[in-house]
């Protein structure tokens, strides 16, 4: 039995890397950061694996929001300077979002 | 258009100086069906020829507490003190939106409290995008709405002038500008229909109702349709806020104006990375710029003023 644990571990890592493991089995989800700065989301287009936690932080003097186009994920409240907001994307898809205060600010999270 | 001819260099300096003040409003005088603008100034004098006047204030941003203005409540109070100091009492005030910074209940409370201090005053409000965060404006309309239409827009007549308050900060779309929407446009068409072309019309809304600088969101996607309904009138004045500085444009019989903020200035179109607060106002100088300049008088069919105000 003792010798089989490393094998299971290796299998789990392989499954996590290939994206087959459900979120809870992969342990803590990876977090990818998006900065809100100078009235723009950076990076504007973010490619992540399913299960990734995307964390926005507002570095502007102006408040902003992270608002899902089409309400595909839960939108944020107003984010004042220094405020953050995070969403874990468990399903593959293309998630467009914008700032409801400054709608010319747009971004996309592509989940694979 | 400009009362104070200036050469290009001093014009730019003067322009920046004018941008670097806050804490006041615009006094509007109605003369022969044409609006004339004056910034509120301690030395303002009455105009016996005007049939009536009203004041526009805008962008109070209650809740903002950063450079260059740590006391936006104080600067709003200072604006209202200037209104009260006018020798002839304005008939009412129009607040063209962004009462608050974050649509918070305590911010609305503060704004309502300050507006209710001192003299009783009638105020007509339209929301800014900062007033409708998270609840599509429910709290704003509950407190400040005119309750004429479900969408919050409204009109009224005052001494022969037709006033229209529009809402262009709801239903915004990703990548878009301000938005009026089909329902509001249909209402506007119907609202204007019975009026004679001689009726002076004043339209007010938060975001500019012309493509002032779309790259920064300074415009309204479907404003052209609204203007199509207004073009037949002999005198139309469009009053907006949002950009925290004075810009003007004249298109035939329609004149467009934006107002200063009572809270903080923003940079001229395209200057700097974005339309955030203009922070490099010398310490202690913010209020000293109050009333530094009288706005040019706006009369009928003249050339665009905005070309003078755009930076070289």
């Amino acid at each position: 039995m003792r010798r089989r644990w490393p094998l299971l571990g290796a299998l789990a890592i392989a499954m996590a890397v290939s994206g087959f493991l459900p979120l809870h089995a992969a342990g803590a989800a990876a977090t990818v950061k998006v900065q809100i700065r100078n009235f723009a989301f950076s990076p504007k287009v973010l490619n992540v694996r399913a299960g990734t936690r995307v964390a926005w932080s507002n570095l502007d003097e102006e408040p902003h929001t992270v608002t899902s186009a089409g309400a595909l994920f839960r939108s944020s409240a107003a984010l004042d300077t220094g405020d953050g907001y995070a969403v874990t994307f468990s399903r593959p898809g293309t998630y467009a979002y914008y700032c409801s205060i400054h709608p010319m600010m747009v971004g996309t999270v592509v989940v694979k | 258009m400009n009362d104070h001819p200036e050469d290009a260099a001093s014009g730019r300096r003067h322009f920046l100086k004018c941008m670097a003040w806050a804490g006041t409003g615009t006094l509007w005088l109605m003369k022969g069906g044409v609006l004339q603008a004056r910034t509120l100034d301690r030395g303002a004098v009455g105009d016996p020829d005007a049939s009536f006047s009203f004041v526009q204030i805008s962008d109070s941003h209650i809740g903002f507490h950063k450079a260059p203005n740590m006391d936006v409540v104080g600067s709003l109070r200072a604006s209202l003190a200037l209104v009260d100091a006018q020798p002839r009492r304005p008939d009412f005030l129009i607040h063209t939106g962004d009462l608050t910074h974050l649509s918070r209940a305590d911010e609305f409370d503060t704004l309502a409290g300050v507006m209710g201090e001192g003299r009783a005053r009638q105020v007509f409000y339209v929301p800014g995008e900062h007033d409708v965060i998270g609840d599509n404006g429910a709290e704003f309309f509950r407190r400040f709405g005119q309750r004429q239409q479900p969408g919050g827009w409204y009109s009224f007549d005052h001494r022969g002038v037709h006033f229209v308050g529009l809402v262009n900060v709801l239903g915004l779309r990703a990548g878009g500008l301000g938005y009026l929407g089909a329902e509001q446009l249909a209402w506007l068409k119907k609202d204007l229909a019975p009026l004679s072309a001689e009726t002076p019309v004043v339209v007010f809304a938060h975001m500019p109702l012309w493509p002032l600088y779309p790259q920064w969101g300074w415009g309204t996607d479907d404003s052209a349709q609204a203007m199509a309904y207004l073009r037949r009138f002999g005198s139309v004045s469009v009053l907006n806020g949002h950009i925290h500085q004075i810009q003007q444009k004249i298109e035939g019989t329609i004149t467009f104006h934006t107002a200063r903020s009572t809270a903080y200035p923003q940079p001229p179109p395209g200057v700097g990375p974005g339309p955030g607060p203009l922070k490099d106002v010398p310490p202690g100088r913010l209020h000293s710029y109050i009333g530094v300049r009288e706005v040019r008088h706006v009369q009928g069919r003249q050339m665009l003023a905005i070309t003078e105000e755009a930076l070289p």
Side-chain angles (χ1 to χ4, degrees), chain A residues 1-70:
Chain A
M1 284 299 288
R2 190 178 293 170
R3 292 180 61 185
R4 296 181 69 170
W5 283 112
L7 279 174
L8 280 175
L11 184 63
I13 290 168
M15 287 176 76
V17 167
S18 59
F20 283 116
L21 274 188
L23 182 57
H24 64 270
T31 295
V32 178
K33 292 178 179 174
V34 177
Q35 290 190 344
I36 309 175
R37 188 197 287 269
N38 291 331
F39 291 78
F41 297 104
S42 178
K44 189 173 178 181
V45 178
L46 187 66
N47 291 290
V48 297
R49 309 189 64 81
T52 303
R53 181 175 175 268
V54 177
W56 289 267
S57 55
N58 180 18
L59 306 179
D60 261 352
E61 297 285 324
E62 271 278 305
H64 296 296
T65 73
V66 175
T67 302
S68 169

Side-chain angles (χ1 to χ4, degrees), chain B residues 265-276:
Chain B
Q266 287 183 344
V271 178

Side-chain angles (χ1 to χ4, degrees), chain B residues 16 39 48 88 155 202 215 218 251:
Chain B
L16 289 173
T39 53
R88 181 174 168 181
S155 66
V202 176
Q215 295 93 320
W218 292 358
E251 232 182 62

